[in-house]
């Protein structure tokens, strides 16, 4: 396909036409309320475009995500587990963020002229091959809204990426806490079984000597069997949790043990609020696009090639006016108000959840401290009864009863200790502070 000199000159003129029509476009703005010019002079565009890129990079939402700290203390078992599962993440959300970034990159150039071929067959059997170019001069801010929408999509995808990382770390640490709890519970039961086995042997000797009734021995054996079953269940739960954790991390984490520490550093705004803010930006951009579709715009076009070169100046609108147009405008404005209220609602819900979980965490920690005190008291009573038993002042079943009280107090202490650990993890999850934003 060949293009004549006249066509080429027309296309070049049309390419630089936006700068010449700047005054015309600005004068047209006053005729349409709330409209923004799309095209500026070429020299101003070259200076303005880097500012758009810097604005995207310096988005308040993106910046808040990048500087978001993690409450997991470095070097602790929690940190080892978190690092392992983050490193092995499939990063589906990261791929979606990359897609959104590429779309935003493409949208940054939506102000430029659109060029494409036009090939047709005439009724005389001749081919007509032209090069068509179209440049939007004024569109009531639609192109800018499309760029803002693409930027909001990037922000939304970035929030989703950080949320995905925090959820993954929370799931992994929950499995780890489950494994640690059952590992400690199994160790406690191992010691209890050893002590109960000694009591069983003493009772067997007393039954054999006719000193005690066999019913007491049966009760001891039943208690011992229950302890063994509980220990086996705890070991199986530990094995299952560690196996699932190894699948998440891509390698076994059997060598990690102990609870990690979480700092009290506030991470900033909750991720749910950041998500609502990103949705707000998207909603506002979509509303501006919908509004621009109902208003007339100005564009210039030209074509040339094998046919005669042509040029046109068009005033068009995507949606024709009707009796319901004003109601549609009102609906668009109501959409903006609804988006603002959703952000406020998300902030309120996040604050309520954080406050509730903080109170729950404080309660568990207080109860765990009290349980530790009760365990110490039970151990003191047990030591006293054992001394009296050795002195012949107590029966075996008396010591067994006090030992059961001590074992129950210790189990309650372990339970509350790990309830507090889970509550702390849940609080960090609600705050979105389990994974550092810069690492994700």
């Amino acid at each position: 396909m060949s293009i004549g000199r006249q066509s080429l000159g027309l296309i070049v003129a049309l390419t630089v036409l936006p700068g010449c029509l700047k005054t015309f476009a600005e004068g047209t703005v006053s005729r349409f309320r709330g409209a923004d010019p799309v095209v500026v002079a070429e020299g101003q565009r070259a200076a303005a475009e880097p500012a758009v890129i810097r604005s995207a990079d310096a988005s308040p939402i993106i910046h808040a995500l990048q500087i978001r700290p993690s409450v997991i203390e470095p070097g602790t078992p929690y940190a080892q587990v978190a690092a392992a599962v983050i490193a092995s993440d499939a990063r589906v959300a990261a791929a979606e963020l990359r897609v959104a970034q590429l779309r935003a990159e493409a949208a940054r150039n939506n102000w430029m002229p659109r060029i494409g071929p036009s090939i047709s067959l005439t009724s005389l059997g001749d081919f007509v091959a032209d090069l068509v170019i179209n440049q939007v001069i004024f569109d009531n801010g639609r192109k800018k809204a499309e760029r803002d929408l693409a930027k909001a999509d990037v922000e939304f995808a970035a929030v989703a990426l950080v949320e995905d990382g925090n959820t993954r770390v929370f799931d992994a640490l929950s499995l780890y806490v489950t494994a640690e709890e059952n590992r400690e519970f199994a160790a406690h039961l191992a010691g209890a079984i050893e002590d109960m086995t000694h009591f069983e042997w003493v009772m067997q000797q007393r039954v054999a000597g006719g000193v005690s009734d066999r019913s007491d021995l049966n009760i001891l054996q039943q208690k011992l069997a229950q302890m063994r079953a509980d220990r086996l269940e705890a070991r199986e739960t530990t094995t299952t949790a560690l196996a699932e954790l190894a699948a998440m991390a891509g390698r076994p984490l059997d060598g990690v043990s102990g609870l990690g520490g979480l700092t009290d550093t506030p991470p900033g705004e909750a991720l749910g609020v950041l998500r609502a803010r990103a949705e707000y930006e998207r909603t506002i951009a979509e509303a501006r696009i919908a509004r621009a579709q109902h208003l007339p715009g100005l564009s210039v076009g030209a074509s040339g090639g094998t046919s005669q070169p042509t040029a046109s100046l068009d005033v068009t609108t995507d949606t024709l006016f009707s009796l319901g147009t004003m109601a549609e405008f009102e609906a668009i404005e109501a959409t903006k108000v609804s988006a603002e209220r959703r952000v406020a609602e998300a902030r309120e819900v996040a604050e309520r959840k954080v406050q509730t979980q903080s109170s729950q965490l404080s309660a568990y920690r207080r109860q765990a401290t009290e349980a530790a005190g009760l365990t110490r008291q039970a151990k003191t009573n047990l030591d006293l009864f054992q001394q009296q038993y050795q002195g012949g002042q107590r029966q075996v079943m008396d010591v067994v009863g006090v030992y059961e009280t001590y074992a129950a107090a210790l189990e309650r202490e372990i339970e509350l200790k790990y309830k507090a650990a889970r509550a702390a993890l849940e609080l960090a999850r609600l705050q979105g502070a389990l994974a550092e934003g810069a690492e994700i």
Side-chain angles (χ1 to χ4, degrees), residues 75-89:
T76 61
Y78 280 0
Q80 298 179 47
V81 173
V85 298
I86 287 294
S88 63
D89 189 4

Side-chain angles (χ1 to χ4, degrees), residues 33-46:
R33 179 172 57 89
D36 295 323
V38 174
V39 182
V40 296
E42 179 113 4
Q44 291 183 347
R45 171 60 64 187

Side-chain angles (χ1 to χ4, degrees), residues 187-198:
H188 155 65
L189 288 175
I193 289 172
E194 182 179 353
D195 293 337
M196 278 294 185
T197 302
H198 171 71

Side-chain angles (χ1 to χ4, degrees), residues 169-250:
V169 173
F170 174 77
D171 292 341
L173 291 179
S174 296
L175 289 171
Y176 176 75
V177 168
T178 298
E180 279 297 295
E181 179 182 13
N182 284 274
R183 189 151 45 191
E184 185 171 346
F185 186 55
H188 155 65
L189 288 175
I193 289 172
E194 182 179 353
D195 293 337
M196 278 294 185
T197 302
H198 171 71
F199 293 144
E200 180 193 26
W201 178 83
V202 172
M203 185 59 68
Q204 286 176 342
Q205 302 305 314
R206 293 175 65 87
V207 170
V211 179
S212 297
D213 188 80
R214 182 157 187 90
S215 60
D216 293 336
L217 178 60
N218 292 337
I219 293 175
L220 269 177
Q221 290 175 340
Q222 182 180 2
K223 294 179 184 296
L224 192 56
Q226 183 63 49
M227 286 182 177
R228 287 171 177 155
D230 291 341
R231 183 182 62 174
L232 180 60
E233 181 182 358
R235 287 179 174 176
E236 290 173 346
T237 302
T238 300
T239 302
T240 302
L242 289 177
E244 189 173 350
L245 182 59
M248 291 186 67

